[in-house]
Amino acid sequence: MTVTTPSRRSWPRSLTEVPYWVFQDEDVYEAEQEKIFHGPFWSYLCLEAELAEPGDFCATFIGEQPVLVTRDVDDQIYAFENRCAHRGSLIAMEHYGHAKDFTCVYHAWTYNLQGDLTGVAFEEGINGKGGMGKDFCKAAHSPRRLRLANVHGLIFGSLDNDVAEIEEYLGQEILDRIERVLGGRSPVVLGRFTQTLPNNWKLYMENVKDSYHASILHLFFTTFGLNKLNQKGGIIVSENGGHHVSWSAINRDAESGEHYKSQKIRSDSEYQLEDPSLVDSFSEVGDDITLQILSVSPGFVLQQIQNAIAVRQVLPTGVDSTSLNWTYLGFADDTEQQRLIRMKQSNLVGPAGYVSMEDGAIGGFVQRGIAGAGSEFATVQMGGDQAVSSESRVTEASIRGFWKVYREAMGFTVEEGA
């Protein structure tokens, strides 16, 4: 199936204007499945640590496309569409598990861990009657395999064989920042959450890339000194614009709330912690960076908020609905005290996190606010009109970078003067 570019409207004048119809139109959403999620993009699938033993599998998605990721007895990782070649039923139902092979519940067609069709129930019929024709070839009826890449234990997949190599796709600065958190370490899954968001998936990705909002929307950040815009920090935007890193480092001796008081922004409130050890922390990798949010387009996030390490998978489920999967991480060499700190700080993030709770709501506020405003647009002018790295986090540069890559991939016509 070929999906053409939605022709309702062209893109506004520049990257500083984002049309609201891009969050509302069904034809845009349908085209995204083909051009973005089935296109030349790498999508996060799972952690290598979640496929520790041969036979381990993970059932996940690229966009709305169900995918199975496995480790076979040859110790290699494979991924293929989670769809039986017979009548289209899911091959595996569980999100995680262990199997020698997969048998479709509908008609018992069987697949090995590499996705090859190996058995068809009653292929030869019964008593010489029925069954498949002599020209039936099982090898021609296997689910489509994905291209795979492993980046420090993060498994990415693509449905497009022409996607660039992962190193080129990410760029060195993004690779370095992934290595900073995960390089040479053995992740351990501490827990998982799945969160349903009442908004378009792109609104969540905008929010992730928006360093400007972090210490304004999140009262907990500024109240307890975890993240303020006057801290040392910056923004890294990948060369193509699609990926980003926002980071900050705390220097408590130099902290001041004056910037926030002068802007009349809620901070330094009357709220206090009953258990101050919630914000106790240790140096994660030997540097002074206490917050690093990294995104990879179209829908992956690696976070370090103090010692709360997690990966987030952003999956579209409709024009105005999104599934957000959180996986919380520790590491095999954590001390008992470090593991306790991580578990306490897991309360900062996730669906009801002291920090992340607002992120789960704000996209819905926008989705509701723009209803009936399809001909209008948002403005993202903070920090200029370019999609470039910055020493300031008072910028929307990484949001502009996201839209730069997005509109090129979707093939939207850009208005004259853009």
Side-chain angles (χ1 to χ4, degrees), residues 193-323:
F193 284 104
T194 294
Q195 182 176 3
T196 299
L197 305 177
N199 52 264
N200 188 275
W201 67 277
K202 299 184 294 296
L203 285 172
Y204 187 79
M205 288 307 293
E206 271 198 332
N207 178 268
V208 166
K209 293 171 179 288
D210 179 3
S211 57
Y212 170 44
H213 88 278
S215 61
I216 301 173
L217 176 66
H218 302 306
L219 175 63
F220 195 94
F221 265 158
T222 49
T223 299
F224 301 107
L226 301 186
N227 182 22
K228 294 183 179 181
L229 289 172
N230 56 321
Q231 293 170 348
K232 178 183 178 182
I235 294 287
I236 298 170
V237 181
S238 65
E239 185 175 351
N240 72 348
H243 325 303
H244 103 292
V245 178
S246 173
W247 66 275
S248 66
I250 287 182
N251 180 351
R252 295 190 183 277
D253 294 336
E255 292 307 312
S256 169
E258 294 305 316
H259 295 82
Y260 287 81
K261 292 175 182 177
S262 66
Q263 298 289 325
K264 298 182 180 180
I265 292 172
R266 56 183 190 148
S267 64
D268 297 324
S269 72
E270 71 277 11
Y271 296 111
Q272 295 181 359
L273 289 172
E274 184 70 25
D275 179 8
S277 71
L278 179 68
V279 294
D280 286 348
S281 63
F282 58 92
S283 179
E284 187 62 48
V285 292
D287 59 23
D288 60 353
I289 293 175
T290 54
L291 183 142
Q292 177 180 292
I293 304 296
L294 180 151
S295 72
V296 174
S297 289
F300 170 74
V301 182
L302 170 64
Q303 70 160 57
Q304 175 211 341
I305 301 176
Q306 298 286 93
N307 302 115
I309 311 297
V311 295
R312 311 177 204 167
Q313 182 187 39
V314 182
L315 295 173
T317 54
V319 171
D320 57 1
S321 64
T322 300
S323 182

Side-chain angles (χ1 to χ4, degrees), residues 44-259:
Y44 170 75
L45 301 178
C46 64
L47 295 162
E48 184 180 15
E50 294 172 305
L51 306 171
E53 302 294 333
D56 288 350
F57 70 85
C58 170
T60 184
F61 293 85
I62 292 183
E64 292 189 340
Q65 171 65 56
V67 170
L68 262 177
V69 193
T70 68
R71 187 184 290 275
D72 200 0
V73 293
D74 62 0
D75 208 35
Q76 298 300 304
I77 294 175
Y78 298 87
F80 47 92
E81 293 177 333
N82 186 7
R83 183 180 68 245
C84 182
H86 180 214
R87 299 277 288 278
S89 174
L90 291 172
I91 297 170
M93 304 292 185
E94 297 176 342
H95 291 302
Y96 298 93
H98 186 88
K100 292 182 179 180
D101 53 27
F102 302 99
T103 299
C104 176
V105 298
Y106 199 0
H107 297 94
W109 284 34
T110 302
Y111 301 85
N112 65 20
L113 292 168
Q114 297 186 23
D116 301 316
L117 177 62
T118 57
V120 173
F122 303 113
E123 182 178 357
E124 297 180 0
I126 298 177
N127 298 325
K129 297 180 181 180
M132 305 298 288
K134 292 183 179 180
D135 60 347
F136 176 73
C137 175
K138 288 194 284 290
H141 291 81
S142 297
R144 178 169 49 157
R145 289 185 182 174
L146 281 65
R147 281 190 62 185
L148 290 179
N150 187 333
V151 182
H152 297 294
L154 304 172
I155 305 301
F156 290 87
S158 180
L159 291 159
D160 190 326
N161 287 327
D162 295 326
V163 65
E165 295 295 328
I166 193 71
E167 293 81 8
E168 178 185 350
Y169 182 84
L170 295 175
Q172 193 59 52
E173 287 184 303
I174 303 300
L175 285 167
D176 289 346
R177 287 297 182 136
I178 294 175
E179 182 178 20
R180 176 188 165 272
V181 176
L182 299 177
R185 310 176 84 182
S186 299
V188 175
V189 175
L190 301 182
R192 299 183 179 93
F193 284 104
T194 294
Q195 182 176 3
T196 299
L197 305 177
N199 52 264
N200 188 275
W201 67 277
K202 299 184 294 296
L203 285 172
Y204 187 79
M205 288 307 293
E206 271 198 332
N207 178 268
V208 166
K209 293 171 179 288
D210 179 3
S211 57
Y212 170 44
H213 88 278
S215 61
I216 301 173
L217 176 66
H218 302 306
L219 175 63
F220 195 94
F221 265 158
T222 49
T223 299
F224 301 107
L226 301 186
N227 182 22
K228 294 183 179 181
L229 289 172
N230 56 321
Q231 293 170 348
K232 178 183 178 182
I235 294 287
I236 298 170
V237 181
S238 65
E239 185 175 351
N240 72 348
H243 325 303
H244 103 292
V245 178
S246 173
W247 66 275
S248 66
I250 287 182
N251 180 351
R252 295 190 183 277
D253 294 336
E255 292 307 312
S256 169
E258 294 305 316
H259 295 82

